[in-house]
């Protein structure tokens, strides 16, 4: 009887581990407010808030670089909203953690052309 209960307990633990390892990504919203009052909303799939903010920074950087040659920006604001409805770029602790993690990453030197 003890072996049977132990076997069931081990099976439950293993199933729990497999289910947690197979976690699906969460859907975040990347919102861009335009100067004319319209909003463009894209979906970001990320495993957690930190990953979502990293994707947000890379998309924001790409948009800024694409619009460098334009005299005026089309965007009033950009932000990312979690599945729970929180605006992630207003969370100071999370933003500091992202900035610190990018500061510790090795920088590659730009090659002269």
């Amino acid at each position: 009887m003890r072996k049977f209960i132990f076997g069931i307990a081990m099976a439950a633990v293993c199933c729990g581990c497999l289910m947690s390892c197979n976690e699906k990504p969460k859907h975040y919203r990347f919102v861009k407010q335009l100067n004319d009052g319209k909003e463009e909303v894209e979906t970001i799939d990320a495993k957690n808030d930190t990953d979502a903010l990293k994707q947000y920074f890379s998309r924001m950087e790409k948009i800024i670089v694409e619009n460098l040659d334009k005299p005026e920006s089309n965007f009033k604001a950009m932000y990312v909203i979690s599945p729970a409805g929180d605006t992630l770029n207003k969370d100071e602790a999370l933003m500091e953690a992202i900035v610190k993690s990018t500061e510790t990453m090795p920088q590659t030197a730009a090659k002269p052309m």
Side-chain angles (χ1 to χ4, degrees):
M1 184 69 175
R2 288 182 183 177
K3 289 181 181 180
F4 180 70
I5 292 173
F6 180 74
I8 290 175
M10 287 300 292
V13 169
C14 290
C15 287
C17 289
L18 289 175
M19 296 297 266
S20 66
C21 292
N22 196 16
E23 192 173 320
K24 294 182 181 178
K26 298 175 186 174
H27 303 292
Y28 293 79
R29 292 181 292 161
F30 177 57
V31 180
K32 297 179 276 187
Q33 285 184 337
L34 304 175
N35 287 333
D36 59 1
K38 295 180 184 176
E39 287 186 354
E40 292 181 4
V41 180
E42 295 178 36
T43 302
I44 296 176
D45 292 329
K47 58 185 174 184
N48 56 32
D49 292 351
T50 305
D51 187 37
L53 270 181
K54 287 180 181 178
Q55 290 183 38
Y56 162 75
F57 279 125
S58 68
R59 287 184 184 202
M60 187 175 65
E61 180 183 17
K62 181 181 174 186
I63 290 169
I64 290 171
V65 168
E66 287 174 353
N67 293 311
L68 279 177
D69 58 344
K70 297 179 182 173
E72 189 174 303
S73 175
N74 295 342
F75 302 102
K76 184 176 181 180
M78 289 183 250
Y79 49 93
V80 63
I81 301 174
S82 72
D86 299 328
T87 305
L88 295 182
N89 36 329
K90 289 187 178 180
D91 185 352
E92 290 182 28
L94 185 58
M95 293 293 281
E96 287 178 12
I98 298 295
V99 170
K100 285 182 182 179
S101 71
T102 57
E103 288 176 352
T104 59
M105 292 175 68
Q107 301 292 325
T108 58
K111 295 181 182 179
M113 291 186 179

